[in-house]
């Protein structure tokens, strides 16, 4: 199971075939159960890939002042770009979630990092970096992680979510490659995710709400 041929086949299945199957067949209510099921499986495989040792995969020590400063500086630039994109792409959505459903917005701000960010980071950072390290250089692995993360968002049936998530995925993978801290990269992912929902772009991250990519 650790031969390069097997790993390449597994990678194609994981990164290409599974997202396409989920895109065509996954009902909206099944997204989170499937996500968590995959995360638990990927967690076990990642641990086995590391020799079964109890590695500090969450790694709270990675959250340092220097790393937080780096993350928030990049976020400030990206937040401005995302705000401009929202205004250009769908100005009617700008802050619409906050204005129209403030209580639901507050709930999303609290729950999204816990029920969505953590399993995604287990799959696309911990698992990818542990499982496929022998196939790629460190820089290439960052790209594989980011592109795989973005392509998985085809399940939302629009082009905005995959495109934004490729960009975000590469940034998150850079953070993880540098720190090996799932705690830090989950914090960064949650920061962007909550901001996207606050802006109103969360519409593009609901299953099937925007329409086919065609």
């Amino acid at each position: 199971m650790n031969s390069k041929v097997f790993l390449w086949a597994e990678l194609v299945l994981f990164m290409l075939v599974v997202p396409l199957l989920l895109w065509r067949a996954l009902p909206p209510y099944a997204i989170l159960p499937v996500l968590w099921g995959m995360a638990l499986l990927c967690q076990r495989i990642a641990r086995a890939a590391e020799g079964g040792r109890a590695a500090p995969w969450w790694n709270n020590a990675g959250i340092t002042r220097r790393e937080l400063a780096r993350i928030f500086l990049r976020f400030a630039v990206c937040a401005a770009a995302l705000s401009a994109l929202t205004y250009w792409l769908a100005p009617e959505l700008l802050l619409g979630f906050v204005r129209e459903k403030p209580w639901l917005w507050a709930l999303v701000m609290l729950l999204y990092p816990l029920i969505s960010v953590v399993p995604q980071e287990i799959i696309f950072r911990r698992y990818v970096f542990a499982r496929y390290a022998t196939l790629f250089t460190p820089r290439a692995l960052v790209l594989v992680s980011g592109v795989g993360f973005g392509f998985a968002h085809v399940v939302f049936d629009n082009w905005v979510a995959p495109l934004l998530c490729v960009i975000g995925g590469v940034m998150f993978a850079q953070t993880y490659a540098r720190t090996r801290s799932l705690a830090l990269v989950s914090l960064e992912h949650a920061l962007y995710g909550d901001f996207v929902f606050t802006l109103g772009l969360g519409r593009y991250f609901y299953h099937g709400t925007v329409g086919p990519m065609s």
Side-chain angles (χ1 to χ4, degrees):
M1 290 181 66
N2 292 318
S3 71
K4 288 193 174 182
V5 173
F6 185 91
L7 287 175
W8 274 110
E10 179 185 290
L11 181 64
V12 172
L13 179 68
F14 171 64
M15 292 287 194
L16 182 62
V17 177
V18 170
L20 289 175
L21 288 175
L22 295 178
W23 172 41
R24 301 305 300 175
L26 187 68
Y29 62 81
I31 288 182
L32 285 177
V34 169
L35 179 64
W36 272 99
M38 291 185 65
L40 293 174
L41 176 62
C42 287
Q43 178 78 334
R44 294 193 65 178
I45 296 174
R47 183 169 182 177
E50 295 169 342
R53 62 186 184 277
W57 58 275
W58 188 245
N59 192 13
N60 287 321
I63 303 178
T64 65
R65 288 184 180 181
R66 182 176 181 179
E67 289 297 336
L68 288 174
R70 186 197 295 255
I71 284 174
F72 279 104
L73 179 60
R74 182 163 66 179
F75 173 73
V77 175
C78 292
L82 283 169
S83 299
L85 174 66
T86 307
Y87 185 77
W88 170 76
L89 186 67
E92 71 281 3
L93 297 179
L94 195 61
L95 299 179
F97 192 21
V98 182
R99 290 184 279 104
E100 296 171 12
K101 299 179 179 179
W103 288 107
L104 180 58
W105 167 80
L107 189 63
V108 169
M109 294 301 100
L110 292 173
L111 295 183
Y112 170 75
L114 298 175
I115 66 175
S116 184
V117 167
V118 171
Q120 288 182 68
E121 290 306 315
I122 290 174
I123 295 169
F124 291 101
R125 252 55 72 182
R126 172 158 164 73
Y127 169 75
V128 168
F129 276 78
R131 184 65 170 160
Y132 304 117
T134 59
L135 297 182
F136 302 99
T137 65
R139 287 186 178 181
L141 198 56
V142 166
L143 187 61
V144 169
S145 172
V147 172
F149 175 70
F151 189 70
H153 286 75
V154 296
V155 297
F156 293 115
D157 206 23
N158 65 84
W159 62 268
V160 177
L163 178 59
L164 289 180
C165 287
V166 166
I167 298 170
V170 170
M171 292 192 303
F172 305 153
Q174 288 173 337
T175 298
Y176 186 75
R178 189 173 63 250
T179 66
R180 284 300 195 274
S181 172
L182 210 69
L184 180 66
V185 76
S186 295
L187 175 64
E188 183 178 28
H189 185 165
L191 186 66
Y192 282 86
D194 279 353
F195 186 71
V196 162
F197 279 106
T198 299
L199 277 178
L201 287 177
R203 177 193 178 199
Y204 294 96
F205 293 83
Y206 298 142
H207 188 279
T209 55
V210 181
M213 289 187 288
S214 59

Short mmCIF file of all heavy atoms in Angstrom, two decimals, residues 143-206:
data_model
loop_
_atom_site.label_atom_id
_atom_site.label_comp_id
_atom_site.label_asym_id
_atom_site.label_seq_id
_atom_site.Cartn_x
_atom_site.Cartn_y
_atom_site.Cartn_z
N LEU A 143 1.50 22.68 -3.41
CA LEU A 143 0.61 22.89 -4.55
C LEU A 143 -0.44 21.79 -4.65
O LEU A 143 -1.61 22.06 -4.91
CB LEU A 143 1.44 22.96 -5.83
CG LEU A 143 0.69 23.34 -7.11
CD1 LEU A 143 0.08 24.74 -6.97
CD2 LEU A 143 1.61 23.28 -8.32
N VAL A 144 -0.02 20.55 -4.44
CA VAL A 144 -0.96 19.42 -4.48
C VAL A 144 -2.04 19.59 -3.42
O VAL A 144 -3.23 19.40 -3.69
CB VAL A 144 -0.20 18.10 -4.26
CG1 VAL A 144 -1.18 16.95 -4.03
CG2 VAL A 144 0.68 17.79 -5.46
N SER A 145 -1.63 19.96 -2.22
CA SER A 145 -2.59 20.18 -1.14
C SER A 145 -3.58 21.28 -1.48
O SER A 145 -4.79 21.13 -1.29
CB SER A 145 -1.83 20.53 0.15
OG SER A 145 -2.72 20.92 1.17
N GLY A 146 -3.07 22.39 -2.02
CA GLY A 146 -3.93 23.52 -2.34
C GLY A 146 -4.89 23.23 -3.47
O GLY A 146 -6.09 23.55 -3.40
N VAL A 147 -4.39 22.61 -4.54
CA VAL A 147 -5.24 22.30 -5.69
C VAL A 147 -6.28 21.25 -5.32
O VAL A 147 -7.45 21.34 -5.70
CB VAL A 147 -4.39 21.83 -6.88
CG1 VAL A 147 -5.28 21.31 -8.01
CG2 VAL A 147 -3.52 22.97 -7.39
N GLY A 148 -5.86 20.24 -4.56
CA GLY A 148 -6.81 19.22 -4.13
C GLY A 148 -7.91 19.80 -3.26
O GLY A 148 -9.10 19.46 -3.41
N PHE A 149 -7.54 20.70 -2.36
CA PHE A 149 -8.51 21.38 -1.51
C PHE A 149 -9.49 22.19 -2.34
O PHE A 149 -10.71 22.16 -2.11
CB PHE A 149 -7.76 22.29 -0.54
CG PHE A 149 -8.62 23.16 0.32
CD1 PHE A 149 -9.38 22.62 1.34
CD2 PHE A 149 -8.66 24.53 0.12
CE1 PHE A 149 -10.17 23.43 2.16
CE2 PHE A 149 -9.45 25.35 0.93
CZ PHE A 149 -10.21 24.79 1.94
N GLY A 150 -8.98 22.90 -3.33
CA GLY A 150 -9.86 23.70 -4.17
C GLY A 150 -10.78 22.85 -5.02
O GLY A 150 -11.99 23.12 -5.11
N PHE A 151 -10.23 21.79 -5.63
CA PHE A 151 -11.05 20.97 -6.51
C PHE A 151 -12.15 20.24 -5.75
O PHE A 151 -13.22 19.98 -6.30
CB PHE A 151 -10.17 19.96 -7.26
CG PHE A 151 -10.91 19.22 -8.34
CD1 PHE A 151 -11.30 19.88 -9.49
CD2 PHE A 151 -11.24 17.89 -8.18
CE1 PHE A 151 -12.01 19.21 -10.49
CE2 PHE A 151 -11.95 17.20 -9.17
CZ PHE A 151 -12.33 17.87 -10.34
N ALA A 152 -11.90 19.93 -4.49
CA ALA A 152 -12.93 19.26 -3.69
C ALA A 152 -14.19 20.11 -3.58
O ALA A 152 -15.29 19.59 -3.35
CB ALA A 152 -12.39 18.96 -2.29
N HIS A 153 -14.05 21.41 -3.78
CA HIS A 153 -15.21 22.31 -3.66
C HIS A 153 -16.06 22.37 -4.92
O HIS A 153 -16.99 23.19 -5.00
CB HIS A 153 -14.72 23.71 -3.26
CG HIS A 153 -14.29 23.80 -1.82
ND1 HIS A 153 -13.11 23.28 -1.38
CD2 HIS A 153 -14.91 24.31 -0.71
CE1 HIS A 153 -12.99 23.48 -0.08
NE2 HIS A 153 -14.06 24.10 0.36
N VAL A 154 -15.80 21.49 -5.90
CA VAL A 154 -16.71 21.38 -7.04
C VAL A 154 -18.08 20.91 -6.58
O VAL A 154 -19.07 21.08 -7.30
CB VAL A 154 -16.17 20.43 -8.13
CG1 VAL A 154 -14.89 20.95 -8.74
CG2 VAL A 154 -16.01 19.02 -7.61
N VAL A 155 -18.16 20.32 -5.39
CA VAL A 155 -19.46 19.85 -4.88
C VAL A 155 -20.44 21.00 -4.74
O VAL A 155 -21.66 20.77 -4.70
CB VAL A 155 -19.32 19.11 -3.53
CG1 VAL A 155 -18.47 17.86 -3.68
CG2 VAL A 155 -18.76 20.02 -2.45
N PHE A 156 -19.96 22.23 -4.67
CA PHE A 156 -20.85 23.38 -4.51
C PHE A 156 -21.39 23.89 -5.84
O PHE A 156 -22.12 24.88 -5.88
CB PHE A 156 -20.15 24.49 -3.74
CG PHE A 156 -19.86 24.12 -2.31
CD1 PHE A 156 -18.56 24.01 -1.85
CD2 PHE A 156 -20.88 23.85 -1.43
CE1 PHE A 156 -18.28 23.65 -0.55
CE2 PHE A 156 -20.63 23.49 -0.12
CZ PHE A 156 -19.32 23.38 0.32
N ASP A 157 -20.96 23.26 -6.94
CA ASP A 157 -21.62 23.46 -8.23
C ASP A 157 -21.50 24.89 -8.77
O ASP A 157 -22.46 25.43 -9.32
CB ASP A 157 -23.09 23.06 -8.12
CG ASP A 157 -23.67 22.63 -9.47
OD1 ASP A 157 -22.89 22.24 -10.35
OD2 ASP A 157 -24.91 22.70 -9.63
N ASN A 158 -20.36 25.50 -8.57
CA ASN A 158 -20.09 26.81 -9.15
C ASN A 158 -18.58 26.96 -9.28
O ASN A 158 -17.82 26.16 -8.73
CB ASN A 158 -20.70 27.93 -8.30
CG ASN A 158 -20.04 28.02 -6.93
OD1 ASN A 158 -19.00 28.65 -6.74
ND2 ASN A 158 -20.66 27.37 -5.93
N TRP A 159 -18.14 27.98 -10.02
CA TRP A 159 -16.70 28.14 -10.25
C TRP A 159 -16.02 29.00 -9.19
O TRP A 159 -14.80 28.96 -9.03
CB TRP A 159 -16.44 28.76 -11.63
CG TRP A 159 -17.02 30.14 -11.81
CD1 TRP A 159 -18.25 30.45 -12.30
CD2 TRP A 159 -16.40 31.38 -11.50
NE1 TRP A 159 -18.44 31.81 -12.31
CE2 TRP A 159 -17.31 32.41 -11.83
CE3 TRP A 159 -15.15 31.73 -10.98
CZ2 TRP A 159 -17.01 33.76 -11.66
CZ3 TRP A 159 -14.87 33.08 -10.81
CH2 TRP A 159 -15.79 34.08 -11.15
N VAL A 160 -16.79 29.78 -8.45
CA VAL A 160 -16.20 30.70 -7.48
C VAL A 160 -15.55 29.95 -6.32
O VAL A 160 -14.41 30.24 -5.93
CB VAL A 160 -17.27 31.69 -6.95
CG1 VAL A 160 -16.66 32.61 -5.88
CG2 VAL A 160 -17.84 32.51 -8.09
N ALA A 161 -16.27 28.98 -5.75
CA ALA A 161 -15.75 28.25 -4.59
C ALA A 161 -14.44 27.52 -4.90
O ALA A 161 -13.46 27.66 -4.16
CB ALA A 161 -16.80 27.29 -4.06
N PRO A 162 -14.35 26.72 -5.99
CA PRO A 162 -13.07 26.06 -6.27
C PRO A 162 -11.93 27.03 -6.52
O PRO A 162 -10.80 26.80 -6.05
CB PRO A 162 -13.38 25.23 -7.53
CG PRO A 162 -14.85 24.99 -7.47
CD PRO A 162 -15.41 26.25 -6.89
N LEU A 163 -12.19 28.11 -7.24
CA LEU A 163 -11.13 29.07 -7.54
C LEU A 163 -10.60 29.72 -6.27
O LEU A 163 -9.37 29.77 -6.04
CB LEU A 163 -11.66 30.14 -8.50
CG LEU A 163 -10.65 31.25 -8.87
CD1 LEU A 163 -9.42 30.66 -9.54
CD2 LEU A 163 -11.31 32.30 -9.75
N LEU A 164 -11.48 30.22 -5.43
CA LEU A 164 -11.05 30.85 -4.19
C LEU A 164 -10.34 29.84 -3.28
O LEU A 164 -9.36 30.19 -2.60
CB LEU A 164 -12.25 31.45 -3.45
CG LEU A 164 -12.89 32.70 -4.07
CD1 LEU A 164 -14.06 33.17 -3.22
CD2 LEU A 164 -11.88 33.82 -4.25
N CYS A 165 -10.82 28.60 -3.30
CA CYS A 165 -10.25 27.60 -2.39
C CYS A 165 -8.90 27.06 -2.87
O CYS A 165 -8.12 26.58 -2.05
CB CYS A 165 -11.24 26.46 -2.17
SG CYS A 165 -12.62 26.96 -1.12
N VAL A 166 -8.62 27.11 -4.16
CA VAL A 166 -7.27 26.78 -4.63
C VAL A 166 -6.29 27.80 -4.07
O VAL A 166 -5.22 27.46 -3.53
CB VAL A 166 -7.20 26.73 -6.16
CG1 VAL A 166 -5.74 26.74 -6.61
CG2 VAL A 166 -7.90 25.49 -6.69
N ILE A 167 -6.64 29.08 -4.19
CA ILE A 167 -5.78 30.15 -3.68
C ILE A 167 -5.61 30.02 -2.17
O ILE A 167 -4.50 30.05 -1.63
CB ILE A 167 -6.35 31.53 -4.04
CG1 ILE A 167 -6.41 31.69 -5.56
CG2 ILE A 167 -5.51 32.64 -3.42
CD1 ILE A 167 -7.18 32.91 -6.03
N GLY A 168 -6.74 29.89 -1.47
CA GLY A 168 -6.69 29.74 -0.02
C GLY A 168 -5.97 28.47 0.39
O GLY A 168 -5.19 28.46 1.34
N GLY A 169 -6.21 27.38 -0.34
CA GLY A 169 -5.59 26.11 -0.02
C GLY A 169 -4.08 26.15 -0.11
O GLY A 169 -3.38 25.56 0.73
N VAL A 170 -3.56 26.84 -1.11
CA VAL A 170 -2.11 26.99 -1.24
C VAL A 170 -1.56 27.78 -0.06
O VAL A 170 -0.52 27.44 0.51
CB VAL A 170 -1.74 27.65 -2.58
CG1 VAL A 170 -0.25 28.04 -2.61
CG2 VAL A 170 -2.05 26.71 -3.74
N MET A 171 -2.25 28.83 0.33
CA MET A 171 -1.79 29.62 1.48
C MET A 171 -1.80 28.80 2.76
O MET A 171 -0.86 28.83 3.55
CB MET A 171 -2.67 30.87 1.64
CG MET A 171 -2.51 31.89 0.52
SD MET A 171 -3.28 33.50 0.89
CE MET A 171 -4.98 33.02 1.20
N PHE A 172 -2.87 28.05 2.97
CA PHE A 172 -2.96 27.22 4.18
C PHE A 172 -1.88 26.14 4.17
O PHE A 172 -1.29 25.83 5.21
CB PHE A 172 -4.34 26.57 4.29
CG PHE A 172 -5.50 27.54 4.25
CD1 PHE A 172 -6.75 27.15 3.80
CD2 PHE A 172 -5.34 28.86 4.68
CE1 PHE A 172 -7.81 28.03 3.77
CE2 PHE A 172 -6.40 29.76 4.65
CZ PHE A 172 -7.64 29.33 4.18
N ALA A 173 -1.63 25.57 2.99
CA ALA A 173 -0.60 24.54 2.88
C ALA A 173 0.78 25.12 3.17
O ALA A 173 1.63 24.44 3.76
CB ALA A 173 -0.64 23.91 1.49
N GLN A 174 1.01 26.35 2.74
CA GLN A 174 2.29 27.01 3.06
C GLN A 174 2.47 27.14 4.57
O GLN A 174 3.55 26.89 5.11
CB GLN A 174 2.35 28.38 2.39
CG GLN A 174 2.52 28.35 0.89
CD GLN A 174 2.40 29.73 0.26
OE1 GLN A 174 1.79 30.64 0.84
NE2 GLN A 174 2.96 29.90 -0.92
N THR A 175 1.40 27.55 5.23
CA THR A 175 1.44 27.68 6.68
C THR A 175 1.72 26.34 7.35
O THR A 175 2.55 26.23 8.25
CB THR A 175 0.11 28.26 7.21
OG1 THR A 175 -0.09 29.57 6.68
CG2 THR A 175 0.11 28.34 8.73
N TYR A 176 1.04 25.30 6.88
CA TYR A 176 1.22 23.99 7.48
C TYR A 176 2.62 23.43 7.20
O TYR A 176 3.26 22.84 8.08
CB TYR A 176 0.17 23.01 6.96
CG TYR A 176 0.22 21.68 7.65
CD1 TYR A 176 -0.26 21.53 8.95
CD2 TYR A 176 0.77 20.57 7.02
CE1 TYR A 176 -0.20 20.30 9.60
CE2 TYR A 176 0.83 19.34 7.66
CZ TYR A 176 0.34 19.21 8.95
OH TYR A 176 0.41 18.01 9.59
N ALA A 177 3.11 23.62 5.98
CA ALA A 177 4.44 23.14 5.63
C ALA A 177 5.51 23.81 6.49
O ALA A 177 6.51 23.19 6.84
CB ALA A 177 4.71 23.39 4.15
N ARG A 178 5.27 25.06 6.82
CA ARG A 178 6.25 25.83 7.59
C ARG A 178 6.21 25.47 9.08
O ARG A 178 7.24 25.46 9.75
CB ARG A 178 5.97 27.32 7.41
CG ARG A 178 7.02 28.25 7.96
CD ARG A 178 6.74 29.69 7.58
NE ARG A 178 5.49 30.19 8.13
CZ ARG A 178 4.41 30.46 7.39
NH1 ARG A 178 4.43 30.29 6.08
NH2 ARG A 178 3.30 30.91 7.96
N THR A 179 5.03 25.18 9.61
CA THR A 179 4.87 25.03 11.07
C THR A 179 4.47 23.64 11.52
O THR A 179 4.67 23.31 12.69
CB THR A 179 3.79 26.00 11.57
OG1 THR A 179 2.51 25.62 11.04
CG2 THR A 179 4.11 27.44 11.16
N ARG A 180 3.87 22.85 10.62
CA ARG A 180 3.30 21.55 10.98
C ARG A 180 2.34 21.67 12.16
O ARG A 180 2.23 20.80 13.01
CB ARG A 180 4.40 20.54 11.30
CG ARG A 180 5.12 19.99 10.08
CD ARG A 180 4.15 19.27 9.15
NE ARG A 180 4.83 18.43 8.17
CZ ARG A 180 5.29 18.85 6.98
NH1 ARG A 180 5.15 20.13 6.66
NH2 ARG A 180 5.87 18.03 6.13
N SER A 181 1.61 22.76 12.18
CA SER A 181 0.65 23.01 13.26
C SER A 181 -0.76 23.03 12.68
O SER A 181 -1.15 23.98 11.98
CB SER A 181 0.94 24.35 13.95
OG SER A 181 -0.09 24.68 14.86
N LEU A 182 -1.53 21.99 12.97
CA LEU A 182 -2.91 21.96 12.51
C LEU A 182 -3.74 23.00 13.26
O LEU A 182 -4.72 23.52 12.73
CB LEU A 182 -3.51 20.57 12.71
CG LEU A 182 -4.59 20.19 11.69
CD1 LEU A 182 -3.97 19.99 10.32
CD2 LEU A 182 -5.31 18.92 12.13
N ALA A 183 -3.34 23.31 14.47
CA ALA A 183 -4.03 24.35 15.25
C ALA A 183 -3.91 25.70 14.56
O ALA A 183 -4.90 26.43 14.39
CB ALA A 183 -3.44 24.43 16.66
N LEU A 184 -2.70 26.04 14.12
CA LEU A 184 -2.48 27.33 13.48
C LEU A 184 -3.18 27.43 12.15
O LEU A 184 -3.85 28.43 11.85
CB LEU A 184 -0.98 27.58 13.30
CG LEU A 184 -0.60 28.91 12.64
CD1 LEU A 184 -0.99 30.08 13.54
CD2 LEU A 184 0.90 28.94 12.35
N VAL A 185 -3.05 26.39 11.34
CA VAL A 185 -3.65 26.45 10.01
C VAL A 185 -5.18 26.40 10.09
O VAL A 185 -5.87 27.00 9.26
CB VAL A 185 -3.09 25.32 9.11
CG1 VAL A 185 -3.68 23.97 9.44
CG2 VAL A 185 -3.32 25.65 7.64
N SER A 186 -5.72 25.73 11.11
CA SER A 186 -7.17 25.74 11.30
C SER A 186 -7.65 27.14 11.69
O SER A 186 -8.72 27.59 11.26
CB SER A 186 -7.57 24.73 12.37
OG SER A 186 -7.29 23.41 11.97
N LEU A 187 -6.86 27.82 12.51
CA LEU A 187 -7.19 29.19 12.88
C LEU A 187 -7.18 30.10 11.65
O LEU A 187 -8.10 30.92 11.46
CB LEU A 187 -6.17 29.70 13.91
CG LEU A 187 -6.29 31.17 14.32
CD1 LEU A 187 -7.62 31.42 15.02
CD2 LEU A 187 -5.13 31.56 15.24
N GLU A 188 -6.18 29.92 10.80
CA GLU A 188 -6.11 30.74 9.58
C GLU A 188 -7.27 30.43 8.65
O GLU A 188 -7.91 31.35 8.11
CB GLU A 188 -4.78 30.46 8.87
CG GLU A 188 -4.58 31.32 7.63
CD GLU A 188 -3.25 31.08 6.96
OE1 GLU A 188 -2.71 29.94 7.07
OE2 GLU A 188 -2.73 32.01 6.31
N HIS A 189 -7.56 29.17 8.46
CA HIS A 189 -8.68 28.76 7.61
C HIS A 189 -10.00 29.32 8.13
O HIS A 189 -10.82 29.85 7.37
CB HIS A 189 -8.73 27.23 7.57
CG HIS A 189 -9.74 26.65 6.65
ND1 HIS A 189 -9.72 25.33 6.27
CD2 HIS A 189 -10.83 27.19 6.05
CE1 HIS A 189 -10.73 25.09 5.46
NE2 HIS A 189 -11.44 26.20 5.32
N ALA A 190 -10.21 29.25 9.44
CA ALA A 190 -11.44 29.76 10.05
C ALA A 190 -11.56 31.27 9.85
O ALA A 190 -12.66 31.80 9.63
CB ALA A 190 -11.47 29.42 11.53
N LEU A 191 -10.44 31.96 9.91
CA LEU A 191 -10.43 33.41 9.73
C LEU A 191 -10.97 33.78 8.36
O LEU A 191 -11.85 34.65 8.22
CB LEU A 191 -9.00 33.93 9.92
CG LEU A 191 -8.79 35.43 9.92
CD1 LEU A 191 -9.45 36.07 11.14
CD2 LEU A 191 -7.29 35.74 9.93
N TYR A 192 -10.47 33.09 7.34
CA TYR A 192 -10.92 33.38 5.97
C TYR A 192 -12.36 32.91 5.75
O TYR A 192 -13.15 33.62 5.11
CB TYR A 192 -10.00 32.70 4.97
CG TYR A 192 -8.70 33.43 4.75
CD1 TYR A 192 -7.61 33.21 5.58
CD2 TYR A 192 -8.56 34.34 3.71
CE1 TYR A 192 -6.40 33.88 5.39
CE2 TYR A 192 -7.36 35.02 3.51
CZ TYR A 192 -6.29 34.79 4.35
OH TYR A 192 -5.11 35.47 4.16
N GLY A 193 -12.67 31.72 6.26
CA GLY A 193 -14.01 31.21 6.06
C GLY A 193 -15.08 32.10 6.68
O GLY A 193 -16.08 32.42 6.04
N ASP A 194 -14.87 32.50 7.91
CA ASP A 194 -15.83 33.38 8.58
C ASP A 194 -15.95 34.72 7.85
O ASP A 194 -17.04 35.28 7.75
CB ASP A 194 -15.42 33.61 10.04
CG ASP A 194 -15.84 32.46 10.94
OD1 ASP A 194 -16.55 31.55 10.46
OD2 ASP A 194 -15.46 32.47 12.13
N PHE A 195 -14.83 35.21 7.33
CA PHE A 195 -14.87 36.49 6.61
C PHE A 195 -15.65 36.36 5.31
O PHE A 195 -16.42 37.25 4.94
CB PHE A 195 -13.45 36.99 6.33
CG PHE A 195 -13.41 38.37 5.73
CD1 PHE A 195 -13.73 39.48 6.49
CD2 PHE A 195 -13.07 38.54 4.40
CE1 PHE A 195 -13.71 40.75 5.94
CE2 PHE A 195 -13.03 39.82 3.83
CZ PHE A 195 -13.37 40.92 4.61
N VAL A 196 -15.47 35.23 4.62
CA VAL A 196 -16.20 35.00 3.37
C VAL A 196 -17.70 34.96 3.63
O VAL A 196 -18.49 35.57 2.88
CB VAL A 196 -15.71 33.69 2.71
CG1 VAL A 196 -16.72 33.19 1.68
CG2 VAL A 196 -14.35 33.90 2.05
N PHE A 197 -18.11 34.29 4.69
CA PHE A 197 -19.54 34.25 5.02
C PHE A 197 -20.04 35.62 5.43
O PHE A 197 -21.17 36.00 5.11
CB PHE A 197 -19.79 33.24 6.14
CG PHE A 197 -19.85 31.82 5.66
CD1 PHE A 197 -18.81 30.94 5.90
CD2 PHE A 197 -20.96 31.36 4.97
CE1 PHE A 197 -18.86 29.63 5.45
CE2 PHE A 197 -21.04 30.05 4.52
CZ PHE A 197 -19.97 29.18 4.76
N THR A 198 -19.23 36.38 6.14
CA THR A 198 -19.62 37.72 6.56
C THR A 198 -19.81 38.64 5.36
O THR A 198 -20.78 39.42 5.31
CB THR A 198 -18.57 38.32 7.52
OG1 THR A 198 -18.48 37.49 8.68
CG2 THR A 198 -18.94 39.73 7.94
N LEU A 199 -18.92 38.55 4.38
CA LEU A 199 -19.03 39.37 3.19
C LEU A 199 -20.31 39.09 2.41
O LEU A 199 -20.88 39.98 1.79
CB LEU A 199 -17.83 39.13 2.27
CG LEU A 199 -16.55 39.88 2.56
CD1 LEU A 199 -15.47 39.47 1.56
CD2 LEU A 199 -16.75 41.39 2.50
N GLY A 200 -20.72 37.84 2.43
CA GLY A 200 -21.88 37.44 1.64
C GLY A 200 -21.54 36.40 0.59
O GLY A 200 -22.43 35.86 -0.07
N LEU A 201 -20.25 36.10 0.42
CA LEU A 201 -19.84 35.11 -0.56
C LEU A 201 -20.15 33.68 -0.11
O LEU A 201 -19.93 32.74 -0.87
CB LEU A 201 -18.33 35.23 -0.83
CG LEU A 201 -17.89 36.44 -1.65
CD1 LEU A 201 -16.38 36.47 -1.78
CD2 LEU A 201 -18.54 36.42 -3.04
N GLY A 202 -20.66 33.54 1.10
CA GLY A 202 -21.04 32.23 1.58
C GLY A 202 -22.07 31.57 0.69
O GLY A 202 -22.22 30.34 0.69
N ARG A 203 -22.77 32.36 -0.10
CA ARG A 203 -23.74 31.81 -1.05
C ARG A 203 -23.10 30.79 -1.97
O ARG A 203 -23.73 29.83 -2.38
CB ARG A 203 -24.34 32.96 -1.87
CG ARG A 203 -25.31 32.49 -2.94
CD ARG A 203 -25.64 33.59 -3.92
NE ARG A 203 -26.53 33.09 -4.97
CZ ARG A 203 -26.69 33.71 -6.13
NH1 ARG A 203 -26.04 34.81 -6.39
NH2 ARG A 203 -27.52 33.21 -7.03
N TYR A 204 -21.84 31.03 -2.30
CA TYR A 204 -21.14 30.12 -3.22
C TYR A 204 -20.61 28.87 -2.53
O TYR A 204 -19.99 28.02 -3.18
CB TYR A 204 -20.00 30.87 -3.90
CG TYR A 204 -20.48 31.96 -4.81
CD1 TYR A 204 -20.55 33.29 -4.36
CD2 TYR A 204 -20.90 31.69 -6.10
CE1 TYR A 204 -21.01 34.31 -5.19
CE2 TYR A 204 -21.37 32.69 -6.93
CZ TYR A 204 -21.43 33.99 -6.47
OH TYR A 204 -21.90 35.00 -7.30
N PHE A 205 -20.82 28.77 -1.22
CA PHE A 205 -20.35 27.61 -0.48
C PHE A 205 -21.50 26.82 0.12
O PHE A 205 -21.33 26.08 1.08
CB PHE A 205 -19.38 28.06 0.61
CG PHE A 205 -18.10 28.62 0.05
CD1 PHE A 205 -18.04 29.95 -0.37
CD2 PHE A 205 -16.97 27.82 -0.06
CE1 PHE A 205 -16.86 30.46 -0.90
CE2 PHE A 205 -15.80 28.33 -0.60
CZ PHE A 205 -15.74 29.65 -1.01
N TYR A 206 -22.69 27.00 -0.47
CA TYR A 206 -23.84 26.17 -0.14
C TYR A 206 -24.05 25.20 -1.28
O TYR A 206 -23.92 25.57 -2.45
CB TYR A 206 -25.11 27.00 0.05
CG TYR A 206 -25.05 28.00 1.17
CD1 TYR A 206 -25.63 29.25 1.03
CD2 TYR A 206 -24.43 27.70 2.36
CE1 TYR A 206 -25.60 30.19 2.05
CE2 TYR A 206 -24.38 28.62 3.39
CZ TYR A 206 -24.97 29.86 3.24
OH TYR A 206 -24.92 30.77 4.26
#
